[in-house]
Amino acid sequence: MMKPTPRSVAAQTVASVLSGRSLDTVLPKLEQPLSAGDRSLARALTYGVLREHLFLSALRDEMLKTPLVQDPLTAALIEVGLYQLRATRVSPHAAVSETVNACAVLELTGRRALVNALLRRYQRDSRTLEIAAASNPSRQYSYPTWLLDSIRLDWPDQWERVLVEGNAQGPMCLRVNSKKTDRETYQALLKGAALNSSVVEGVADALSLENGVPVERLPDFQAGAVSVQDASAQLAVDLLAAEPGQLVLDACSAPGGKTAHILERADVRMIALDSDQFRLQRVQENLQRLGLEAELHCCDAGRFADRWDGPQFDRILLDAPCSGTGVIRRHPDIKYLRRHDDIPRMAAEQLRLLNALWGQLAPGGRLIFATCSILMAEGEEVIKSFFMRQADAKHEVIEAAWGEARRFGRRIPPGGAHDGFYYASLRKLAKKAK
């Protein structure tokens, strides 16, 4: 068997994702034999192709009499070649020759001529082919029709920007551990390590790196001085506003970023839940690195009341399971793994968890509801349904410079240091004296 190359790994990963497998599951295994440099190239090609897959596939099919439905690996390899030619700094000669050479690695020797011919034709006729390929918005922006239509409906004035930003590469954003240092001091450490960063306005602990790097290059990372966390996710701690000594529940905590952030800000008693034991182990590992402690429970947050015999909580954070449409720029496979009927199913699950956890909140307490979705069905529509059932719930208006206010809660479009996100703040009313 021939040694894998960045192009062969990218083609295999793309084909696997399009067959229904998760990018985070497939790529780490396939890239293992590669050197660090080749691994970076394989990742860049894989993410780039997945971001532009529907356009690239249309471009490829414009040059074919019969689509390669029965040959997904060759189809993916051609997309890898096209992506290099139209969107990277790889020299055209290397893009063509190395992509054709990957046929041997993938045992597609009989397809060398086809791959070579299509890539060379694109070089000759790129302008005409690209105009034809971008024949509708779904192809142009590389979003499945159902998702594009949903975003256009929910963001009528800025849907194109939302799509474009979803296809852009998000910056590496850091959360400075305020228990160990402050943002200005850590920014100076980054500069000393030849890493340029900028302050994220309105997000107190956030720095955005000019260029992403392995965490091993971050000063004092293992000592717990800093974590990797998107700016939008860091907003939860300020909205929750936990105070020292309070009892706090993080209901869907993995991988532990928000759990840790709350503990970095205030000395609270933290209970963290997740329904997956492996993911809960990630929470524990992150807390250990940061020198923090929480009480961890592996259970369905909607059934936590059955096993909790302690007092009601002063604060609850429900970062609910969702479609992830707000983080497509970091997980482009979401566009192809999600289906239209996933959205109402997930919204129903979010409402189930919200209703179940409400009984665990003490009168006067605050619950922050969050999703990394940009779809209204997984945001304000859930909160609207919740208020129809809960008479003791008060909606707290979120006054902020980030995002935009909705009737219920506040949403953030993807772009800059921010992933797409939705937040709502709910206060439990005290019982009236009889």
Side-chain angles (χ1 to χ4, degrees):
M1 179 179 254
M2 296 183 67
K3 184 180 178 181
T5 68
R7 281 113 180 139
S8 71
V9 167
Q12 286 177 293
T13 305
V14 168
S16 294
V17 167
L18 297 178
S19 72
R21 299 184 66 192
S22 164
L23 176 58
D24 288 342
T25 299
V26 176
L27 184 54
K29 294 179 181 178
L30 290 175
E31 69 178 4
Q32 278 184 348
L34 301 178
S35 67
D38 281 352
R39 200 173 298 158
S40 295
L41 177 57
R43 283 189 162 255
L45 296 177
T46 300
Y47 276 75
V49 170
L50 288 174
R51 288 187 177 108
E52 300 187 12
H53 160 64
L54 293 179
F55 179 80
L56 293 170
S57 64
L59 197 58
R60 179 196 62 228
D61 292 347
E62 284 292 326
M63 297 183 282
L64 290 168
K65 292 182 179 179
T66 305
L68 295 167
V69 178
Q70 303 302 319
D71 194 352
L73 192 53
T74 300
L77 182 60
I78 293 168
E79 290 185 39
V80 170
L82 291 171
Y83 176 73
Q84 291 171 83
L85 289 172
R86 69 182 304 271
T88 73
R89 296 178 181 177
V90 177
S91 73
H93 173 76
V96 174
S97 62
E98 293 300 323
T99 302
V100 171
N101 289 341
C103 288
V105 181
L106 298 170
E107 299 181 352
L108 298 172
T109 306
R111 293 296 200 179
R112 286 178 61 95
L114 175 67
V115 173
N116 183 63
L118 263 59
L119 296 183
R120 294 196 179 282
R121 182 181 168 191
Y122 172 78
Q123 287 180 290
R124 294 193 306 271
D125 304 328
S126 60
R127 181 172 177 78
T128 302
L129 290 168
E130 292 207 1
I131 291 173
S135 59
N136 61 59
S138 178
R139 286 179 166 190
Q140 180 183 353
Y141 295 107
S142 284
Y143 275 74
T145 301
W146 74 266
L147 181 54
L148 185 146
D149 288 345
S150 297
I151 293 172
R152 183 156 48 182
L153 182 65
D154 288 354
W155 300 80
D157 298 325
Q158 50 184 314
W159 64 273
E160 289 179 289
R161 177 189 159 214
V162 169
L163 297 177
V164 169
E165 292 292 350
N167 283 334
Q169 182 176 346
M172 186 174 185
C173 198
L174 307 180
R175 184 189 79 240
V176 177
N177 184 351
S178 57
K179 275 192 178 298
K180 293 181 178 290
T181 186
D182 58 66
R183 185 162 62 175
E184 290 70 26
T185 300
Y186 193 77
Q187 190 172 27
L189 283 178
L190 288 172
K191 188 174 182 180
L195 298 173
N196 294 325
S197 65
S198 57
V199 166
V200 181
E201 296 297 333
V203 189
D205 301 317
L207 290 170
S208 180
L209 285 183
E210 186 176 289
N211 297 296
V213 295
V215 293
E216 293 80 12
R217 281 199 58 195
L218 297 174
D220 296 335
F221 178 81
Q222 288 303 328
V226 71
S227 298
V228 178
Q229 187 180 39
D230 180 76
S232 291
Q234 294 186 43
L235 295 168
V237 71
D238 289 323
L239 295 176
L240 200 65
E243 299 176 6
Q246 288 186 329
L247 181 62
V248 179
L249 175 66
D250 188 349
C252 301
S253 63
K258 297 180 185 69
T259 306
H261 199 190
I262 296 165
L263 290 166
E264 289 169 0
R265 286 285 196 88
D267 292 324
V268 301
R269 182 187 174 193
M270 172 65 70
I271 311 297
L273 315 179
D274 204 86
S275 59
D276 185 293
Q277 185 61 56
F278 176 76
R279 285 169 54 81
L280 200 62
Q281 181 60 35
R282 290 276 311 280
V283 178
Q284 183 60 44
E285 291 168 358
N286 282 324
L287 292 176
Q288 286 178 344
R289 181 180 64 82
L290 296 164
L292 303 169
E293 293 184 2
E295 185 179 324
L296 307 185
H297 293 266
C298 184
C299 70
D300 174 358
R303 296 186 174 89
F304 181 59
D306 298 337
R307 61 191 296 176
W308 177 251
D309 58 3
Q312 290 178 307
F313 291 86
D314 301 296
R315 298 285 188 270
I316 295 177
L317 173 62
L318 173 56
D319 186 5
C322 70
S323 63
T325 49
V327 294
I328 282 175
R329 64 183 191 166
R330 302 190 190 278
H331 303 278
D333 53 331
I334 287 172
K335 291 195 286 187
Y336 316 111
L337 299 181
R338 292 284 179 258
R339 298 291 181 266
H340 186 269
D341 56 5
D342 289 335
I343 307 305
R345 177 178 58 79
M346 288 181 167
E349 173 67 0
Q350 292 154 17
L351 185 59
R352 179 186 76 87
L353 294 174
L354 185 52
N355 283 320
L357 290 167
W358 191 248
Q360 298 297 106
L361 185 66
R366 176 180 292 136
L367 185 151
I368 298 299
F369 175 83
T371 62
C372 55
S373 174
I374 53 174
L375 301 180
M376 288 171 56
E378 296 181 284
E380 58 193 290
E381 293 298 328
V382 173
I383 300 302
K384 179 181 177 181
S385 297
F386 171 76
F387 276 115
M388 293 174 67
R389 303 185 186 191
Q390 302 291 348
D392 60 348
K394 176 186 178 183
H395 170 242
E396 295 186 311
V397 175
I398 299 172
E399 300 286 356
W402 48 262
E404 62 179 46
R406 304 296 297 174
R407 180 185 175 192
F408 296 112
R410 200 168 185 91
R411 67 178 182 177
I412 308 170
H418 290 273
D419 287 343
F421 234 83
Y422 172 82
Y423 281 109
S425 180
L426 313 176
R427 177 76 73 171
K428 193 168 191 176
L429 299 174
K431 294 181 179 179
K432 294 181 180 180
K434 294 183 179 179

